[in-house]
Amino acid sequence: MNQNKLFQQTRLRLALWYALVMAVILSLCGIGVYKAVSHAHWMTLDQEIESVAGTLHDSIELKLQQPGQLEPVIQTLLPNICIVGKRCISEPVNSQRHTLSAIHQDHYYVRFFDNSGRLFAIAGAYPEGLSPEFNRELWQTLKDNKGKVYHQISLTLHTQNNRDWGYIQVGRSIEDFNSYLDAVKLILVLGSPIVITLVGLASWWLARLAMQPIYKSYRQIQQFTADAAHELRTPLAATQATVESALLMSQLDEVEARETLQTLHRQNQRLTNLVTDLLLLSRLDSQPVPMRREICCLDDIINDLIEEFAALAIATNITLTSRILVSTPVNIIANQDQLYRLISNLTINAIQYTPSGGKVIVALNRSDNYAVIQIQDTGISIPQSELSHIFDRFYRVHSDRSRSTGGSGLGLAIAQAIILAHHGSIDVQSELGQGSIFTLKLPRKN
């Protein structure tokens, strides 16, 4: 296949299409993975900020008395709170206090606004350059003057007697979150070309596997076409030569004319048989519709064949006998015409390849699931090196003798095609000087 330019180009195109389709699929999967990871982390981030803000809100709201005024107890909850324009209180964090510990981390900040939206207190890691203006939106994403991104939530605060006190904003730096997403993106961007390269190599290998049965069929068709052309050329050339020689004669008497017609008839008969065999093989290979099946009695078929070929056996001084090894008829579901063709092909082969004075035995037996037919001869046998090729189309073990008997090399190929169409099997054993045994196994009717 590697030397065939057509198949190499087809393999390359197939591999490229495989690689392209997989690259698109992997790219879409990569984008989907990134979106899923990003969405999951945003949800986690929102839940974290909402949890911290809710804890702060509930803890502080219980202690508020006057709108716009921070009670001293608030300063104990937020030791690092800074009142805008007044004073900043910096106290060491009590290690025993865990409720608001998240505020003391480097990436959280808290801002307090009065009812008019004026910023008057901050706590935590407050970013520089962040706009002091209040925004009533629940969630906001902001940037400071250094380009760092923050995500924050705004909640309304009330006094103990349920009056509006103002607003609290809890924000968090998402620098670590963005760093994680950048790492995921980098892995996907750098990993995609490597994966696509591996997919391309795998596609090249898979394309080769996919092309192998096609190439095998292509080679079989090539060989079959060449063999068929060769077989057709011989009778056509003989017919052409016969016609040309007849045309060269100025006058033909009755005897010469009859001999010419007989020669043409023989060659035409050979062509007809060859075309018939080729059409039968084609039908058996394709089987576009189920073939007609019926109950067939193998005993009757074998007895009919023995009777039909008795004259041929006598003419070649061959002893042709049947051996029925069962006491009751053996019936199977099959196509009777094809079954008759199957056994007759093997029987004719056995007679033709058995020397004068030899024997051909057609035996019938059965097992639990199969009807077993054996065609045994005392012929010239088949070399072990050629046993694997005898079912190939147009293959002849003894080509000279095959041609002299008018064989086309399709008999065993047809036999194998018929047995396979009936879900059976065919096996051959041959021993030098002892002859050959063809064994047929056909599923039988219980």
Side-chain angles (χ1 to χ4, degrees):
M1 186 171 70
N2 292 334
Q3 285 73 36
N4 190 296
K5 186 177 180 181
L6 173 63
F7 277 86
Q8 280 294 92
Q9 292 177 347
T10 305
R11 179 186 176 187
L12 179 60
R13 287 197 295 268
L14 190 59
L16 290 176
W17 275 110
Y18 281 161
L20 179 61
V21 171
M22 287 304 300
V24 172
I25 293 174
L26 289 174
S27 299
L28 294 176
C29 288
I31 295 172
V33 167
Y34 179 79
K35 293 291 185 182
V37 170
S38 176
H39 177 73
H41 276 73
W42 271 107
M43 293 293 293
T44 303
L45 181 66
D46 285 350
Q47 290 174 0
E48 179 186 321
I49 296 175
E50 192 170 10
S51 175
V52 172
T55 302
L56 274 173
H57 177 275
D58 295 343
S59 300
I60 294 173
E61 196 172 51
L62 293 173
K63 298 172 176 59
L64 297 177
Q65 296 179 1
Q66 295 296 325
Q69 293 183 9
L70 284 174
E71 306 302 326
V73 70
I74 304 299
Q75 296 175 354
T76 62
L77 292 175
L78 299 172
N80 58 353
I81 193 169
C82 180
I83 306 300
V84 175
K86 290 185 178 180
R87 56 192 175 89
C88 291
I89 302 172
S90 179
E91 299 180 4
V93 179
N94 187 349
S95 60
Q96 301 298 321
R97 184 181 297 137
H98 301 287
T99 305
L100 305 178
S101 60
I103 299 302
H104 306 308
Q105 299 176 11
D106 294 338
H107 42 255
Y108 268 99
Y109 66 86
V110 182
R111 298 198 295 180
F112 292 93
F113 295 84
D114 60 18
N115 286 321
S116 63
R118 179 181 62 85
L119 176 66
F120 70 90
I122 57 176
Y126 184 71
E128 297 179 6
L130 204 62
S131 173
E133 296 180 2
F134 178 71
N135 192 322
R136 294 180 181 274
E137 292 182 11
L138 179 63
W139 289 100
Q140 301 141 55
T141 302
L142 310 171
K143 276 187 179 183
D144 64 7
N145 54 4
K146 294 182 179 179
K148 292 183 179 181
V149 183
Y150 296 84
H151 197 52
Q152 69 179 21
I153 187 173
S154 301
L155 300 174
T156 303
L157 287 171
H158 300 86
T159 63
Q160 292 177 353
N161 54 7
N162 204 29
R163 289 186 296 169
D164 291 340
W165 182 92
Y167 306 93
I168 181 175
Q169 284 185 342
V170 179
R172 183 194 192 280
S173 169
I174 59 173
E175 187 176 1
D176 56 337
F177 169 72
N178 286 336
S179 298
Y180 176 79
L181 287 184
D182 290 341
V184 172
K185 189 184 300 182
L186 183 63
I187 292 172
L188 292 175
V189 170
L190 295 180
S192 295
I194 298 174
V195 173
I196 291 173
T197 301
L198 293 176
V199 168
L201 295 176
S203 299
W204 178 252
W205 178 69
L206 289 173
R208 181 176 180 274
L209 291 182
M211 294 295 294
Q212 278 182 343
I214 301 174
Y215 182 71
K216 183 178 179 181
S217 299
Y218 170 75
R219 291 292 299 164
Q220 288 177 341
I221 292 173
Q222 272 193 326
Q223 185 65 39
F224 180 78
T225 304
D227 292 339
H230 179 74
E231 292 295 328
L232 290 170
R233 184 175 59 184
T234 301
L236 287 174
T239 301
Q240 180 71 16
T242 301
V243 172
E244 287 178 353
S245 62
L247 291 175
L248 290 175
M249 296 182 183
S250 58
Q251 187 176 358
L252 290 176
D253 56 28
E254 184 178 348
V255 176
E256 291 174 332
R258 181 171 292 277
E259 290 178 350
T260 300
L261 290 176
Q262 287 176 345
T263 301
L264 292 175
H265 176 73
R266 286 196 303 272
Q267 298 302 330
N268 183 69
Q269 189 63 42
R270 184 176 178 184
L271 282 172
T272 301
N273 293 338
L274 178 59
V275 172
T276 301
D277 289 345
L278 290 174
L279 289 175
L280 175 59
L281 276 174
S282 177
R283 286 197 300 271
L284 290 172
D285 286 343
S286 59
Q287 285 294 344
V289 293
M291 59 182 173
R292 183 176 60 87
R293 297 174 186 261
E294 57 190 348
I295 298 178
C296 302
C297 180
L298 294 179
D299 306 59
D300 295 340
I301 292 176
I302 290 175
N303 290 330
D304 290 345
L305 282 170
I306 296 299
E307 182 179 346
E308 178 180 346
F309 295 128
L312 176 62
I314 292 172
T316 54
N317 194 25
I318 301 296
T319 303
L320 176 62
T321 57
S322 64
R323 184 182 297 168
I324 308 298
L325 303 176
V326 289
S327 57
T328 56
V330 180
N331 295 323
I332 65 170
I333 303 296
N335 183 286
Q336 185 161 337
D337 294 336
Q338 292 186 8
L339 207 59
Y340 193 89
R341 178 68 180 274
L342 165 66
I343 303 173
S344 66
N345 277 8
L346 297 176
T347 305
I348 291 174
N349 269 8
I351 294 173
Q352 290 179 344
Y353 289 101
T354 299
S356 178
K359 296 179 180 180
V360 174
I361 301 173
V362 181
L364 174 63
N365 203 347
R366 67 181 169 200
S367 62
D368 291 339
N369 299 313
Y370 293 95
V372 181
I373 302 172
Q374 286 189 327
I375 295 91
Q376 181 178 0
D377 63 63
T378 58
I380 56 180
S381 74
I382 303 169
Q384 293 295 320
S385 60
E386 302 198 43
L387 281 177
S388 60
H389 301 290
I390 61 173
F391 295 106
D392 295 346
R393 297 172 186 185
F394 298 109
Y395 187 83
R396 296 182 179 88
V397 178
H398 306 281
S399 58
D400 293 340
R401 183 164 183 177
S402 297
R403 293 186 186 281
S404 66
T405 56
S408 64
L410 292 175
L412 291 180
I414 291 174
Q416 185 185 51
I418 292 174
I419 198 76
L420 293 178
H422 286 80
H423 309 291
S425 64
I426 183 170
D427 181 53
V428 58
Q429 297 175 339
S430 188
E431 187 176 348
L432 189 62
Q434 299 296 322
S436 304
I437 301 175
F438 283 82
T439 303
L440 307 175
K441 289 185 177 180
L442 291 160
R444 70 183 185 87
K445 178 188 177 187
N446 292 325

